[in-house]
Every structure is written in C-alpha cells, then in structure tokens.
Amino acid sequence: MTESITEAEFDKVFAEAEKLSEFFREIGPKYDTENTFAYPSIEAFKKSGLGALPVPKQYGGMGGDLLATSKVVSELSKGDSAITLAYNMHYIMVGITMGLMSETQNKYWLGRVADGDIMFGPFSEQRAGFSGLADMKAIPQEGGGWRLYGKKTWGTLCEAADIITTNATITDADGNLPENFEDRVNAESFFIGEFQVDENGQGDGISIVKTWDALGMHATGTQTIVFDGYYVPEDGFICEWRSGAFGVLEWASLMFASIYLGMQSRILEESRAVLSKKTLGAVFGATVAADVKVSNVGHIIDGVGDMASRYELSRRVLYRTCTEVTEGYDDNWPMELRFPYIGLAKTFIADNVMHMSRHAMSMVGGSSFKKGAIFERLYRDSAASMFQPLNADQSRTFIGEQLLAPEELED
C-alpha cells in the first residue's frame, strides 16, 4: 500500500487547479482561433505543481489516486477543455507507466515528474487505432538498446513534454517484423526515454511534424511524431505492451471521461448565464406579452433541468467508477470485460456532453452558431469525445462478444 493524498493536501491542490483553470479560460479563445498549442500554459502548469499529483509520495509526488486526479482534470476542463486535454495526456501516461515500470525506473522517471518534467505518449498509427498492432520498429543494436523507426499520430502534448513513452515492435537485427501473429503480439513493447527537440521540432532521431488541423480541440497541438533512428537504451524498456497495458488503461479511459465531465459543467454554466437573462421582446401567441423572459418558457426550463440532470448523473458515474477501481471492486468483473466496463463511464459521458452541447445551441439560438462563440467552440470540442478509446461502438462490441461467447464444454 502507498500513502495517499490527505483531504487537507487535496484542498490545496484543488485550489491550484481552480487558479490554473481560470488561466486556461483566459487564454483558450486565442489559441482556439489560432489553431496552435497554448504555449503560455507550459510555464503555468509547471509552476502550479499539479503535474506531480498522481505520482506516489515515495517518489516525491502527491499520492493522488484516480478520483483525486479526475476531480482536478474536470476542474481544469471547466476552464478550457482543449488545453486540459493536452495536459491530460501527462496524467494518463504517469498513471500507466507507474503501474508497469520497475522500482528503479519509477524512482528515476517519476522522480523527474515530481520535480516538474512533463510526460507524453504517442501510440496510434495512421492505419489503425488502439486495437492495431504497432508497425513501428524497434531494431536491436550491437551493445544493447534499440533504435526506433516509424511514425505516430495523435502526439498530444509533444510541444511541452520532456519525457516520451511509446510502443514499438521489436524486430530482428535486420529490421524484420515477426511473421507469426503470437510472436508479433509478444514483441510489441513499451519504451520510455528523453524527449529533446529544438524550436523547429527537430531532435536526435526524432521530430515533430505539425499536422494538427481538426474540427475542434485546436489548442492541444496534437502533432505527428516521426522516429528515424531514435535510440532507446536497455533501461528504457518497460514491458511487453499488450500484456501490461490492459491492466492500467483505466488511467486513459477515466481521465478522458474527466475532460468531458468538466466540459459538461462549462456548457451548463454558460447556458444558465445566457438563458437567465435573455428576453424575446414582444411576443404574440396564445397570449400577448410585452417582453418574455426565456427563463419562464417551458422548454427552456425543462432543457436546463435536463442538462443539470445529465451532468449530475455523469459525475456520479465517473466518480463512482474511479472509487470502485481504486478499491478493487473491478476484481469482480470478468477479466475480458474489465477495460470495457471501466470505459462505460467515458462512453456515457461522451453521449451526454455531445447532447448537451447541441441542445445548448438550440436553446440559446442563432448567436451560438457564430464562429468564436463559446457554444460553437464547445460544440466542436465535444465531438472529440467520440474518438478516444474505447469509443461506444468498441465498448459494446467487446461486451457483446464476451457475453455471447459459447461456454466451454465440460469434460
């Protein structure tokens, strides 16, 4: 057992999160418009000390568990979801790596995180998502270590990070991938190393290619990472990727869910601010009124109540899931269903945030459709919730396949 963050300690952490959230809110519109990473956020995030939140206390961190980290991510997302989504990658990778690294690796890498370094991890490849095996090659070198070759998309937070983690498939000395499927699965491995690039995104065997141009989440700066002989020493090997990852992926799914819970809160906040003051002017209908307040209109009242209900249900689902996983209740689930069951919180919240962003625009009216309006931005950013793993379709397929699988015949 490790020492956890105390309530008093968390109160101080959350106060820092509230201040950083306000800063994200101030700068967010500029970087959404410019479609670039929010560079001023780097110093602010490091200065806040929040990067050390999930690092265990024995490595110099704060000892924040899933629930504590989820609450901080949600608070930051209330300020600006796109900027927070970038730093969310740091929390995800710290959570994943600390569950897979050796004690020596944890002391070194997590100690650096506790001192202020930022970690990120590009894993996806162009041809496939999370379920696809890595085509990126890790070629063994004489004298030890590997050189990595390939390309990774979705390099979120790459413009701020000091530490990189990634998966790649170990080849033979000539760079040939295993031909046997099982051998290839077993050869897919998890690595960690230094991430050092210059102002042009160029480093030793690694580079950033600025390809990010998406519907929303502009300020994340989610670029492409190119590996061209990037060297990883032997102590940069963490574990076999597939056998290790599925035991710690709650840090990915539940932190993504936290982003969209914070966005739900922002949608509700902005909707109330507008709809509590908006009037329709003189209205003619069943009755004539000189100046009708929309806060007195039935479908507006019901709509705000619906959004508040969705937010509250989402909060309960997310925070309860965090608690159950931390307390080990997930041991009661079939092993094959652990990740999709954890992912239900994210799919539930994703459905709700997209509904809320659309419904808010409908209630607020045409002004919400103008480019640069907060509702237009929230609508675009909410669409990203469909894509982080596992999405709703993947979750249902995993669950359905397992529940419909024929039982093994008894001898």
Side-chain angles (χ1 to χ4, degrees):
M1 295 293 291
T2 59
E3 185 181 356
S4 298
I5 193 169
T6 66
E7 289 187 16
E9 290 168 339
F10 181 74
D11 287 344
K12 294 180 180 178
V13 167
F14 197 77
E16 286 296 325
E18 290 177 318
K19 290 191 291 185
L20 189 59
S21 180
E22 283 300 316
F23 180 66
F24 286 179
R25 184 176 295 219
E26 292 173 10
I27 67 173
K30 169 182 169 64
Y31 293 95
D32 175 72
T33 300
E34 295 180 358
N35 194 21
T36 59
F37 179 71
Y39 296 103
S41 66
I42 302 173
E43 181 181 358
F45 183 77
K46 288 188 173 184
K47 185 178 179 180
S48 73
L50 293 175
L53 172 60
V55 175
K57 288 185 175 182
Q58 64 262 40
Y59 305 124
M62 301 176 185
D65 60 9
L66 281 166
L67 180 58
T69 310
S70 175
K71 288 179 177 180
V72 165
V73 170
S74 295
E75 178 60 31
L76 295 178
S77 186
K78 292 178 187 179
D80 188 273
S81 296
I83 299 175
T84 305
L85 183 59
Y87 291 97
N88 192 53
M89 176 58 71
H90 169 82
Y91 289 125
I92 289 171
M93 295 320 307
V94 170
I96 288 175
T97 55
M98 70 181 179
L100 298 176
M101 291 193 297
S102 67
E103 178 68 11
T104 299
Q105 289 172 322
N106 274 327
K107 284 182 179 179
Y108 177 73
W109 294 107
L110 296 185
R112 285 183 49 174
V113 170
D115 289 338
D117 279 354
I118 293 173
M119 185 183 296
F120 86 119
F123 292 94
S124 295
E125 302 188 11
Q126 190 66 47
R127 57 164 181 79
F130 175 80
S131 58
L133 294 177
D135 286 335
M136 196 166 87
K137 299 179 179 181
I139 302 177
Q141 302 297 298
E142 291 186 13
W146 301 264
R147 290 199 180 274
L148 273 52
Y149 294 86
K151 183 186 296 186
K152 293 290 186 180
T153 58
W154 309 104
T156 305
L157 196 57
C158 62
E159 294 171 88
D162 309 288
I163 302 169
I164 186 170
T165 64
T166 193
N167 61 328
T169 303
I170 296 177
T171 69
D172 63 19
D174 296 321
N176 298 308
L177 291 166
E179 294 183 1
N180 178 277
F181 176 76
E182 291 298 329
D183 289 342
R184 182 160 174 178
V185 171
N186 294 333
E188 188 177 7
S189 302
F190 189 26
F191 300 94
I192 188 168
E194 304 282 351
F195 187 68
Q196 297 176 339
V197 294
D198 60 24
E199 64 274 10
N200 297 314
Q202 301 297 310
D204 186 7
I206 196 166
S207 59
I208 297 172
V209 180
K210 294 191 176 182
T211 54
W212 185 237
D213 188 15
L215 172 66
M217 293 294 186
H218 292 166
T220 62
T222 300
Q223 315 296 356
T224 298
I225 311 299
V226 177
F227 296 81
D228 188 19
Y230 173 76
Y231 180 68
V232 179
E234 289 186 5
D235 59 9
F237 174 87
I238 297 178
C239 65
E240 291 182 359
W241 174 237
R242 295 284 157 175
S243 60
F246 278 93
V248 290
L249 283 178
E250 61 266 22
W251 279 96
S253 182
L254 296 176
M255 292 309 108
F256 282 130
S258 304
I259 291 287
Y260 301 108
L261 181 68
M263 188 184 292
Q264 284 186 13
S265 178
R266 181 70 183 273
I267 293 170
L268 180 59
E269 173 196 335
E270 297 289 349
S271 297
R272 291 180 63 195
V274 171
L275 296 174
S276 63
K277 299 176 183 178
K278 184 177 179 180
T279 61
L280 296 176
V283 175
F284 180 81
T287 60
V288 177
D291 197 12
V292 174
K293 295 181 65 176
V294 298
S295 59
N296 293 328
V297 176
H299 78 273
I300 299 295
I301 297 172
D302 293 346
V304 171
D306 176 71
M307 287 198 294
S309 300
R310 289 173 184 268
Y311 168 72
E312 179 58 22
L313 286 171
S314 295
R315 186 194 65 79
R316 296 183 194 183
V317 168
L318 175 58
Y319 290 174
R320 181 61 188 172
T321 303
C322 288
T323 300
E324 289 194 355
V325 173
T326 299
E327 294 179 352
Y329 182 84
D330 53 307
D331 290 341
N332 297 317
W333 303 332
M335 183 181 300
E336 296 82 359
L337 290 178
R338 181 180 184 274
F339 186 40
Y341 274 7
I342 290 171
L344 290 176
K346 184 259 175 181
T347 58
F348 179 75
I349 292 171
D351 286 344
N352 279 316
V353 75
M354 287 189 289
H355 175 89
M356 287 173 63
S357 66
R358 184 178 66 250
H359 198 187
M361 293 181 76
S362 174
M363 291 191 293
V364 169
S367 63
S368 67
F369 194 58
K370 294 180 180 179
K371 193 170 182 61
I374 182 60
F375 295 100
E376 180 260 353
R377 179 152 56 99
L378 291 167
Y379 178 75
R380 287 187 286 106
D381 287 351
S382 71
S385 66
M386 292 186 286
F387 304 106
Q388 286 103 9
L390 291 172
N391 65 36
D393 292 334
Q394 289 173 319
S395 296
R396 293 176 187 126
T397 298
F398 273 120
I399 294 170
E401 284 180 343
Q402 177 64 24
L403 296 182
L404 292 175
E407 296 182 3
E408 293 185 6
L409 296 176
E410 297 182 1
D411 294 333

